[in-house]
Amino acid sequence: MDRSPITTHILDTQSGKPANGVNVTLSVQENSCWKALGQGITDSDGRINRLIKDDIGACAPHGIYQLTFDVKEYFESQSQKCFFPKVQLTFEVCEKRHYHVPLLLSPYSYTTYRGS
């Protein structure tokens, strides 16, 4: 498999460029606790295609998931301050399909959506 069933990418909307070098962790909720499934660092295109290292198949099991983006170091590397040092996105997987969850980021705001 060349990509995980859940992938992401980050676009720095202030610069109009991909945000590379951002640490991202994917977790799943189990019994009201979060269990880390994998982590990665965004590449030069701002993407992480192999976030889950284990072979769980082409589709993630149904459940509540969370992507945590550690963005403070990214902004510091750009000589900028940020208001949100971490961005946590919680979403529910309820269909057997690939999920792509992009993050559009600036120092004082962020936006996300369910991508394809």
Side-chain angles (χ1 to χ4, degrees):
M1 178 171 53
D2 62 336
R3 70 177 182 181
S4 298
I6 298 172
T7 56
T8 190
H9 78 269
I10 307 172
L11 177 66
D12 180 336
T13 57
Q14 181 173 329
S15 69
K17 297 178 182 177
N20 65 332
V22 177
N23 186 46
V24 181
T25 304
L26 175 67
S27 304
V28 64
Q29 191 175 44
E30 290 184 356
N31 301 321
S32 301
C33 295
W34 293 104
K35 176 186 173 189
L37 290 178
Q39 72 178 69
I41 298 174
T42 56
D43 63 16
S44 62
D45 198 31
R47 297 180 180 276
I48 302 176
N49 290 320
R50 292 287 298 138
L51 194 51
I52 302 173
K53 306 298 185 220
D54 296 335
D55 186 16
I56 66 169
C59 299
H62 292 234
I64 306 288
Y65 291 82
Q66 187 173 75
L67 283 166
T68 302
F69 301 84
D70 293 316
V71 298
K72 183 176 182 173
E73 287 182 17
Y74 167 76
F75 283 114
E76 287 175 346
S77 75
Q78 306 296 311
S79 300
Q80 295 181 350
K81 293 186 183 227
C82 67
F83 186 68
F84 301 103
K86 286 186 186 235
V87 174
Q88 291 184 310
L89 305 178
T90 304
F91 57 98
E92 185 170 11
V93 168
C94 54
E95 299 175 28
K96 290 190 177 247
R97 58 167 292 184
H98 172 259
Y99 282 77
H100 185 67
V101 185
L103 179 65
L104 306 178
L105 184 65
S106 77
Y108 296 96
S109 69
Y110 64 88
T111 304
T112 189
Y113 58 95
R114 179 177 164 182
S116 57

